[in-house]
């Protein structure tokens, strides 16, 4: 058993894990943060996406040792009262079906809008290309991102640079 301190949603959290710190995947369930989902476990579905220093990452593939140096934001920390423009747009467009993929989708969408306030369809497809929705909500996701962009409200999280793949390839 090893103990790590992770900064999650602005607060230090102690995590005890019975695993090699070089291995990826601290489950949100361990911390009572159930919004982030575990899907494939091999970086193919995007359900586990959170932000590390504002950049969307696959938490299932992120080394705990790398995460201790940064600031993690989960879906619970995106907005205190679900007031993030992307969350409002998600509700307005009635995007979710089963919901399993949605927190990962929202985290990548929020990072996209922070970097590109007026994304075109191709930008959305690139940013969310690694996410799988088994319910096929892709069209409503696009509509919600465009709606959030039209709202003109600057989303709160700003990636300092780099891409999801940059992080996951480390
Ligand atoms: S669970 Fe991490 S990408 Fe699928
Ligand atoms: S809403 Fe069901 S998997 Fe996306």
């Amino acid at each position: 058993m090893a103990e790590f301190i992770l900064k999650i949603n602005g607060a230090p959290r102690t995590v005890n894990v019975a695993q090699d710190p070089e291995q990826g995947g601290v489950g949100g369930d361990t911390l009572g943060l159930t919004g982030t989902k575990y899907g494939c476990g091999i970086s193919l579905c995007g359900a586990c996406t959170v932000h590390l220093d504002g950049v969307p990452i696959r938490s299932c593939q992120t080394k705990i040792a790398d995460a201790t140096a940064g600031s993690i934001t989960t879906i619970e920390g995106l907005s205190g009262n679900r007031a993030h423009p992307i969350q409002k747009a998600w509700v307005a467009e009635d995007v979710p079906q089963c919901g399993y993929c949605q927190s990962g989708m929202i985290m990548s969408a929020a990072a996209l809008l922070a970097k590109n306030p007026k994304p075109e369809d191709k930008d959305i497809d690139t940013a969310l290309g690694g996410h799988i929705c088994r319910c096929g909500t892709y069209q409503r996701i696009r509509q919600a991102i465009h709606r959030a962009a039209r709202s003109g409200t600057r989303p709160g999280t700003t990636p300092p640079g780099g891409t999801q793949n940059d992080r996951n390839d480390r």
Side-chain angles (χ1 to χ4, degrees), residues 19-146:
Q19 68 172 46
D20 182 335
E22 291 300 305
Q23 295 292 308
V26 175
D29 292 358
T30 313
L31 301 166
L33 299 169
T34 56
T36 306
K37 303 302 184 209
Y38 183 80
C40 64
I42 52 173
S43 200
L44 290 178
C45 75
C48 67
T49 301
V50 299
H51 292 180
L52 181 58
D53 294 332
V55 178
I57 59 159
R58 302 289 194 254
S59 58
C60 73
Q61 296 297 301
T62 302
K63 296 172 184 172
I64 297 169
D66 287 349
T68 56
S71 181
I72 298 165
T73 305
T74 69
I75 187 76
E76 290 89 350
L78 194 59
S79 156
N81 52 2
R82 301 178 193 162
H84 190 285
I86 202 73
Q87 290 172 302
K88 287 182 172 177
W90 236 250
V91 171
E93 294 291 341
D94 201 13
V95 174
Q97 193 160 316
C98 82
Y100 201 84
C101 71
Q102 298 290 317
S103 61
M105 295 278 193
I106 287 172
M107 295 309 283
S108 283
L112 168 65
L113 284 178
K115 209 164 53 171
N116 179 358
K118 296 287 179 196
E120 297 179 7
D121 283 347
K122 64 178 171 49
D123 303 318
I124 295 171
D125 292 347
T126 298
L128 276 73
H131 289 261
I132 293 173
C133 175
R134 283 166 291 186
C135 301
T137 63
Y138 302 107
Q139 205 55 37
R140 295 201 296 275
I141 286 169
R142 262 193 189 178
Q143 289 167 6
I145 293 172
H146 286 307

